[in-house]
């Protein structure tokens, strides 16, 4: 009987020894494999406490969220047929076979083969049941809208730090000490979606090289849409980085400068009106060409313009017909000192303060012209050539015209906004006069395609030459339209900028795009009409 009891103790001892040995093997010798399995297959509750804040459109749609990304990894000692396995994985994952084979023949017990699998890759791998190959998960950033608002949102880099856009600008807030803060944007998903679709269509129909659309509330500075073309998929940012296509990550609206052309003429008119140097009815005889410092300035296609009833042309007609010499006339009535002062007031020489990375152009040549008293620099600046700005600076300047005279600060993140008071830079009377002139541009000038029945629309076209090699390109143009509606109580302000569209002027490119977007916004927000249509 005693020997039976001893035998039981021996069996218990041997079983315990085997169990201890197995635990040692798992916990020590294969620690990295099983740690990877645990971390890959399960999202630990403690990880959620350190998650990055998420980003949402004002409507609630997700722009940047945290996500369990599927991945595939191998434990090389458990891979029985490395060559065959590498062949299969290479075909499924679209990876080089030699890269996979090196992973499968390594000495480590854990070898990551590919992370962020797409759904098709994941489903195929589930059916293969390959020895030594496992599926897992990792917590990471996901951009469910893919290319939508990509330059605006930026992306989370491999080191877990925000790169470009809102991810960089609000990195500290999104990361937080224990749990990041979510961001709710001023962006309207529907308007953003349509704006980007219109730019894509412009690529197809107008062969644009690039373009931007901004929609803003001119009273508050809220950005309702900020669209760039071309754009990129933040989920695949590494592909662009490997190709050194880093420029595509930049937001053209806040970081790329341009000479705006005739769309700047209302700024010149605003200054001259506000100082009482002109009125909307002030008239002059268009000479067709004016000369400064030996440089001639012509109207578009060297035209000479006359008024509707007399040989003289009014300041309102100057905007309607976009007359370069008329803008020069207004600037000369104002004087270069006051003109320079108003350019400063309209914020062209300073950052807008938008909550994104932004570039502020130096305008070196223009400032040198100021210091040296070169009249040619002020003459060309009056119609938007020889002076540089970003699209966000230009739309900020127009906001002051639309809202009665105040320079607002544009912004994107609702929860981070602090009320800011702004002193008027032009009087309400000036803003009203200029608005009426811009309505006339749409009703009687080159922007008729912007008209929306039942609503007064104010706006201005611009077809600018592009600086190139110390001069200007003979072929390329930037075509822009800025407009707002309803003109005397604007609910939105839109800037459409197209880089080198294959049309003659903005009348045929940017203006129709504005019309489509503006009409949609009016219906979207159910904006009451200004008058009844017969």
């Amino acid at each position: 009987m005693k020997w039976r009891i001893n035998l039981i103790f021996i069996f218990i001892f041997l079983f315990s020894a085997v169990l201890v040995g197995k635990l040692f093997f798992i916990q020590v010798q294969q620690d990295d494999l099983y740690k990877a399995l645990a971390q890959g297959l399960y999202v630990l509750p403690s990880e959620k406490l350190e998650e990055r804040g998420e980003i949402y459109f004002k409507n609630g749609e997700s722009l940047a969220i945290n996500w369990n990304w599927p991945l595939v990894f191998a434990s090389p000692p458990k891979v029985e047929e490395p060559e065959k396995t590498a062949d299969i994985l290479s075909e499924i994952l679209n990876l080089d076979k030699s890269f996979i084979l090196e992973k499968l023949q390594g000495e480590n017990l854990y070898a990551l083969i590919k992370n962020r699998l797409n759904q098709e890759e994941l489903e195929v791998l589930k059916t293969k049941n390959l020895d030594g190959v496992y599926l897992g998960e990792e917590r990471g950033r996901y951009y469910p809208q893919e290319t939508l608002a990509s330059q605006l949102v930026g992306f989370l880099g491999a080191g877990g730090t925000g790169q470009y856009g809102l991810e960089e600008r609000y990195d500290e807030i999104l990361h937080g000490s224990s749990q990041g803060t979510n961001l709710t944007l001023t962006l309207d998903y529907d308007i953003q979606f349509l704006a980007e679709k219109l730019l894509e269509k412009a690529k197809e129909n107008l062969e644009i090289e690039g373009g931007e659309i901004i929609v803003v509330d001119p009273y508050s500075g809220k950005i309702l849409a900020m669209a760039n073309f071309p754009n990129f998929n933040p989920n695949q940012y590494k592909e662009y980085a490997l190709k050194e296509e880093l420029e595509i990550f930049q937001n053209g609206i806040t970081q790329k400068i341009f000479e705006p052309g005739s769309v700047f003429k209302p700024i010149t008119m605003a200054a001259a009106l506000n100082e009482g140097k002109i009125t909307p009815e002030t008239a002059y005889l268009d000479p067709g060409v004016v000369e400064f410092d030996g440089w001639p300035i012509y109207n578009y296609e060297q035209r000479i313009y006359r008024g509707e009833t007399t040989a003289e042309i009014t300041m309102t007609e100057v905007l309607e017909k976009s007359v370069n010499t008329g803008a020069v006339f207004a600037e000369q009535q104002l004087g270069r000192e006051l003109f320079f002062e108003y350019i400063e007031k309209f914020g062209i020489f300073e950052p807008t303060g938008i909550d994104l990375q932004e570039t502020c152009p130096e305008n070196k040549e223009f400032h040198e012209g100021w210091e040296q008293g070169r009249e040619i620099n002020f003459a060309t600046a009056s119609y938007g050539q020889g002076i540089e700005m970003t699209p966000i600076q230009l739309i900020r300047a127009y906001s002051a015209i639309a809202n009665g005279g105040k320079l607002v600060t544009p912004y994107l993140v609702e929860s981070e906004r602090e009320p800011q008071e702004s002193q008027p830079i032009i009087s309400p009377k000036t803003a009203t006069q200029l608005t009426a002139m811009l309505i006339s541009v749409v009703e009687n000038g080159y922007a008729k395609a912007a008209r929306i029945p039942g609503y007064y629309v104010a706006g201005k076209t611009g077809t600018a030459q592009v600086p190139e090699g110390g001069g200007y390109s003979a072929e390329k143009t930037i075509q822009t339209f800025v407009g707002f509606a309803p003109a005397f109580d604007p609910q939105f302000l839109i800037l459409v900028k197209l880089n080198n569209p294959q049309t003659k002027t903005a009348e045929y490119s940017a203006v129709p795009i504005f019309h489509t977007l503006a009409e949609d916004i009016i219906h979207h927000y159910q904006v009451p009409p200004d008058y009844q249509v017969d």
Side-chain angles (χ1 to χ4, degrees), residues 199-232:
L199 288 176
E200 290 175 13
K201 189 175 181 181
K203 173 61 177 176
E204 296 174 10
N205 299 340
L206 305 174
E207 299 179 23
I208 63 171
E209 295 177 2
E212 297 88 35
I213 294 176
I214 321 167
V215 184
V216 64
D217 176 345
Y219 290 99
S220 65
K222 288 183 181 181
I223 302 293
L224 303 177
M226 181 177 279
N228 287 269
F229 182 87
N231 46 26
F232 69 100

Short mmCIF file of all heavy atoms in Angstrom, two decimals, residues 199-232:
data_model
loop_
_atom_site.label_atom_id
_atom_site.label_comp_id
_atom_site.label_asym_id
_atom_site.label_seq_id
_atom_site.Cartn_x
_atom_site.Cartn_y
_atom_site.Cartn_z
N LEU A 199 -13.00 70.24 -57.16
CA LEU A 199 -11.59 70.34 -57.57
C LEU A 199 -11.18 69.13 -58.40
O LEU A 199 -10.43 69.26 -59.39
CB LEU A 199 -10.69 70.49 -56.34
CG LEU A 199 -10.75 71.84 -55.62
CD1 LEU A 199 -9.90 71.80 -54.37
CD2 LEU A 199 -10.27 72.97 -56.55
N GLU A 200 -11.65 67.96 -58.02
CA GLU A 200 -11.36 66.76 -58.81
C GLU A 200 -11.95 66.88 -60.21
O GLU A 200 -11.32 66.50 -61.21
CB GLU A 200 -11.92 65.52 -58.11
CG GLU A 200 -11.19 65.13 -56.83
CD GLU A 200 -11.86 63.98 -56.11
OE1 GLU A 200 -12.73 63.32 -56.72
OE2 GLU A 200 -11.52 63.73 -54.94
N LYS A 201 -13.15 67.42 -60.29
CA LYS A 201 -13.80 67.61 -61.59
C LYS A 201 -13.05 68.65 -62.42
O LYS A 201 -12.93 68.52 -63.65
CB LYS A 201 -15.26 68.05 -61.38
CG LYS A 201 -16.08 68.07 -62.65
CD LYS A 201 -17.54 68.39 -62.36
CE LYS A 201 -18.37 68.39 -63.65
NZ LYS A 201 -19.80 68.72 -63.36
N ALA A 202 -12.50 69.67 -61.76
CA ALA A 202 -11.71 70.69 -62.46
C ALA A 202 -10.44 70.09 -63.05
O ALA A 202 -9.96 70.54 -64.09
CB ALA A 202 -11.37 71.84 -61.51
N LYS A 203 -9.91 69.09 -62.38
CA LYS A 203 -8.75 68.38 -62.93
C LYS A 203 -9.14 67.67 -64.22
O LYS A 203 -8.40 67.70 -65.21
CB LYS A 203 -8.21 67.37 -61.91
CG LYS A 203 -7.10 66.47 -62.43
CD LYS A 203 -5.89 67.25 -62.88
CE LYS A 203 -4.78 66.33 -63.33
NZ LYS A 203 -3.60 67.08 -63.85
N GLU A 204 -10.31 67.05 -64.23
CA GLU A 204 -10.77 66.33 -65.42
C GLU A 204 -11.15 67.29 -66.55
O GLU A 204 -10.76 67.08 -67.70
CB GLU A 204 -11.99 65.48 -65.06
CG GLU A 204 -11.72 64.37 -64.05
CD GLU A 204 -12.99 63.65 -63.64
OE1 GLU A 204 -14.05 63.89 -64.28
OE2 GLU A 204 -12.94 62.86 -62.68
N ASN A 205 -11.90 68.34 -66.22
CA ASN A 205 -12.45 69.22 -67.26
C ASN A 205 -11.55 70.37 -67.66
O ASN A 205 -11.58 70.82 -68.82
CB ASN A 205 -13.80 69.79 -66.81
CG ASN A 205 -14.82 68.70 -66.55
OD1 ASN A 205 -14.69 67.58 -67.02
ND2 ASN A 205 -15.85 69.02 -65.78
N LEU A 206 -10.77 70.87 -66.71
CA LEU A 206 -9.94 72.05 -66.95
C LEU A 206 -8.44 71.76 -66.92
O LEU A 206 -7.64 72.65 -67.15
CB LEU A 206 -10.26 73.14 -65.92
CG LEU A 206 -11.73 73.57 -65.82
CD1 LEU A 206 -11.92 74.53 -64.66
CD2 LEU A 206 -12.19 74.21 -67.12
N GLU A 207 -8.10 70.53 -66.57
CA GLU A 207 -6.70 70.09 -66.50
C GLU A 207 -5.87 70.96 -65.56
O GLU A 207 -4.73 71.31 -65.85
CB GLU A 207 -6.07 70.07 -67.89
CG GLU A 207 -6.76 69.12 -68.86
CD GLU A 207 -6.12 69.13 -70.24
OE1 GLU A 207 -4.94 69.50 -70.36
OE2 GLU A 207 -6.82 68.77 -71.20
N ILE A 208 -6.46 71.31 -64.41
CA ILE A 208 -5.72 72.14 -63.46
C ILE A 208 -4.50 71.38 -62.92
O ILE A 208 -4.51 70.15 -62.83
CB ILE A 208 -6.60 72.60 -62.28
CG1 ILE A 208 -7.09 71.39 -61.46
CG2 ILE A 208 -7.76 73.44 -62.76
CD1 ILE A 208 -7.79 71.77 -60.17
N GLU A 209 -3.47 72.12 -62.58
CA GLU A 209 -2.28 71.52 -61.96
C GLU A 209 -2.45 71.42 -60.45
O GLU A 209 -1.76 70.66 -59.78
CB GLU A 209 -1.05 72.35 -62.30
CG GLU A 209 -0.71 72.33 -63.79
CD GLU A 209 0.47 73.22 -64.14
OE1 GLU A 209 1.05 73.84 -63.21
OE2 GLU A 209 0.81 73.31 -65.33
N GLY A 210 -3.35 72.19 -59.92
CA GLY A 210 -3.64 72.20 -58.49
C GLY A 210 -4.71 73.22 -58.21
O GLY A 210 -5.11 73.99 -59.10
N GLY A 211 -5.20 73.24 -56.99
CA GLY A 211 -6.23 74.22 -56.66
C GLY A 211 -6.64 74.15 -55.21
O GLY A 211 -6.35 73.18 -54.51
N GLU A 212 -7.32 75.20 -54.77
CA GLU A 212 -7.81 75.28 -53.40
C GLU A 212 -9.18 75.94 -53.38
O GLU A 212 -9.46 76.82 -54.20
CB GLU A 212 -6.87 76.09 -52.51
CG GLU A 212 -5.48 75.52 -52.32
CD GLU A 212 -4.49 75.97 -53.37
OE1 GLU A 212 -4.59 77.13 -53.83
OE2 GLU A 212 -3.63 75.16 -53.77
N ILE A 213 -9.99 75.52 -52.44
CA ILE A 213 -11.27 76.17 -52.17
C ILE A 213 -11.40 76.37 -50.66
O ILE A 213 -11.15 75.45 -49.89
CB ILE A 213 -12.47 75.32 -52.67
CG1 ILE A 213 -12.46 75.21 -54.20
CG2 ILE A 213 -13.80 75.92 -52.21
CD1 ILE A 213 -13.55 74.31 -54.76
N ILE A 214 -11.77 77.58 -50.27
CA ILE A 214 -12.01 77.89 -48.86
C ILE A 214 -13.43 78.43 -48.73
O ILE A 214 -13.86 79.25 -49.53
CB ILE A 214 -11.05 78.96 -48.31
CG1 ILE A 214 -9.64 78.80 -48.85
CG2 ILE A 214 -11.05 78.95 -46.78
CD1 ILE A 214 -8.77 80.00 -48.58
N VAL A 215 -14.13 77.98 -47.70
CA VAL A 215 -15.44 78.55 -47.36
C VAL A 215 -15.36 78.98 -45.90
O VAL A 215 -14.96 78.20 -45.03
CB VAL A 215 -16.57 77.53 -47.54
CG1 VAL A 215 -17.92 78.20 -47.28
CG2 VAL A 215 -16.54 76.92 -48.94
N VAL A 216 -15.73 80.24 -45.64
CA VAL A 216 -15.60 80.78 -44.29
C VAL A 216 -16.84 81.58 -43.92
O VAL A 216 -17.51 82.15 -44.79
CB VAL A 216 -14.33 81.66 -44.19
CG1 VAL A 216 -14.43 82.87 -45.10
CG2 VAL A 216 -14.03 82.09 -42.76
N ASP A 217 -17.16 81.62 -42.64
CA ASP A 217 -18.15 82.55 -42.10
C ASP A 217 -17.42 83.87 -41.90
O ASP A 217 -16.55 83.98 -41.04
CB ASP A 217 -18.69 82.03 -40.77
CG ASP A 217 -19.66 82.99 -40.10
OD1 ASP A 217 -19.71 84.17 -40.48
OD2 ASP A 217 -20.36 82.56 -39.17
N PRO A 218 -17.74 84.92 -42.69
CA PRO A 218 -16.95 86.15 -42.63
C PRO A 218 -17.09 86.94 -41.34
O PRO A 218 -16.28 87.83 -41.06
CB PRO A 218 -17.46 86.96 -43.83
CG PRO A 218 -18.85 86.45 -44.05
CD PRO A 218 -18.81 85.00 -43.68
N TYR A 219 -18.11 86.65 -40.55
CA TYR A 219 -18.31 87.37 -39.29
C TYR A 219 -17.48 86.78 -38.16
O TYR A 219 -16.92 87.51 -37.34
CB TYR A 219 -19.79 87.37 -38.89
CG TYR A 219 -20.66 88.22 -39.78
CD1 TYR A 219 -21.40 87.64 -40.80
CD2 TYR A 219 -20.72 89.60 -39.62
CE1 TYR A 219 -22.20 88.42 -41.63
CE2 TYR A 219 -21.52 90.38 -40.43
CZ TYR A 219 -22.25 89.79 -41.45
OH TYR A 219 -23.04 90.56 -42.27
N SER A 220 -17.41 85.47 -38.09
CA SER A 220 -16.71 84.82 -36.99
C SER A 220 -15.31 84.33 -37.34
O SER A 220 -14.46 84.16 -36.47
CB SER A 220 -17.53 83.61 -36.50
OG SER A 220 -17.61 82.62 -37.52
N GLY A 221 -15.06 84.06 -38.62
CA GLY A 221 -13.81 83.46 -39.04
C GLY A 221 -13.83 81.94 -39.06
O GLY A 221 -12.82 81.30 -39.36
N LYS A 222 -14.99 81.34 -38.76
CA LYS A 222 -15.10 79.88 -38.80
C LYS A 222 -14.85 79.36 -40.22
O LYS A 222 -15.47 79.83 -41.16
CB LYS A 222 -16.50 79.42 -38.37
CG LYS A 222 -16.81 79.57 -36.90
CD LYS A 222 -18.20 79.01 -36.63
CE LYS A 222 -18.57 79.16 -35.16
NZ LYS A 222 -19.92 78.61 -34.88
N ILE A 223 -13.97 78.39 -40.33
CA ILE A 223 -13.72 77.75 -41.62
C ILE A 223 -14.74 76.63 -41.80
O ILE A 223 -14.79 75.68 -41.01
CB ILE A 223 -12.30 77.18 -41.70
CG1 ILE A 223 -11.26 78.28 -41.47
CG2 ILE A 223 -12.07 76.50 -43.05
CD1 ILE A 223 -11.19 79.33 -42.53
N LEU A 224 -15.55 76.71 -42.85
CA LEU A 224 -16.57 75.70 -43.12
C LEU A 224 -16.06 74.62 -44.08
O LEU A 224 -16.56 73.50 -44.09
CB LEU A 224 -17.82 76.35 -43.70
CG LEU A 224 -18.46 77.44 -42.83
CD1 LEU A 224 -19.66 78.06 -43.53
CD2 LEU A 224 -18.86 76.88 -41.47
N ALA A 225 -15.07 74.97 -44.90
CA ALA A 225 -14.44 74.00 -45.80
C ALA A 225 -13.06 74.51 -46.16
O ALA A 225 -12.85 75.72 -46.28
CB ALA A 225 -15.27 73.78 -47.06
N MET A 226 -12.13 73.57 -46.31
CA MET A 226 -10.75 73.92 -46.71
C MET A 226 -10.24 72.76 -47.56
O MET A 226 -9.77 71.76 -47.07
CB MET A 226 -9.88 74.13 -45.47
CG MET A 226 -8.45 74.50 -45.80
SD MET A 226 -7.44 74.82 -44.31
CE MET A 226 -7.93 76.50 -43.92
N ALA A 227 -10.39 72.92 -48.87
CA ALA A 227 -10.10 71.83 -49.81
C ALA A 227 -8.85 72.11 -50.62
O ALA A 227 -8.66 73.24 -51.10
CB ALA A 227 -11.29 71.61 -50.73
N ASN A 228 -8.02 71.09 -50.78
CA ASN A 228 -6.80 71.18 -51.58
C ASN A 228 -6.81 70.10 -52.66
O ASN A 228 -7.34 69.00 -52.45
CB ASN A 228 -5.56 70.97 -50.71
CG ASN A 228 -5.25 72.14 -49.82
OD1 ASN A 228 -4.51 73.05 -50.18
ND2 ASN A 228 -5.82 72.15 -48.62
N PHE A 229 -6.20 70.41 -53.79
CA PHE A 229 -5.97 69.39 -54.82
C PHE A 229 -4.58 69.63 -55.42
O PHE A 229 -4.24 70.77 -55.71
CB PHE A 229 -7.03 69.48 -55.92
CG PHE A 229 -6.83 68.41 -56.97
CD1 PHE A 229 -7.38 67.15 -56.81
CD2 PHE A 229 -6.06 68.66 -58.10
CE1 PHE A 229 -7.19 66.16 -57.76
CE2 PHE A 229 -5.85 67.67 -59.05
CZ PHE A 229 -6.41 66.42 -58.88
N PRO A 230 -3.78 68.57 -55.61
CA PRO A 230 -4.07 67.18 -55.27
C PRO A 230 -3.99 66.95 -53.76
O PRO A 230 -3.44 67.75 -53.03
CB PRO A 230 -2.97 66.41 -56.00
CG PRO A 230 -1.84 67.38 -56.09
CD PRO A 230 -2.46 68.73 -56.25
N ASN A 231 -4.55 65.82 -53.33
CA ASN A 231 -4.49 65.46 -51.91
C ASN A 231 -3.86 64.07 -51.77
O ASN A 231 -3.35 63.51 -52.73
CB ASN A 231 -5.87 65.52 -51.26
CG ASN A 231 -6.93 64.84 -52.11
OD1 ASN A 231 -6.64 63.94 -52.90
ND2 ASN A 231 -8.17 65.27 -51.98
N PHE A 232 -3.89 63.51 -50.57
CA PHE A 232 -3.23 62.23 -50.32
C PHE A 232 -4.01 61.46 -49.26
O PHE A 232 -4.90 62.00 -48.60
CB PHE A 232 -1.78 62.43 -49.87
CG PHE A 232 -1.64 63.04 -48.50
CD1 PHE A 232 -1.37 62.24 -47.39
CD2 PHE A 232 -1.80 64.41 -48.30
CE1 PHE A 232 -1.26 62.79 -46.12
CE2 PHE A 232 -1.68 64.97 -47.03
CZ PHE A 232 -1.40 64.16 -45.94
#
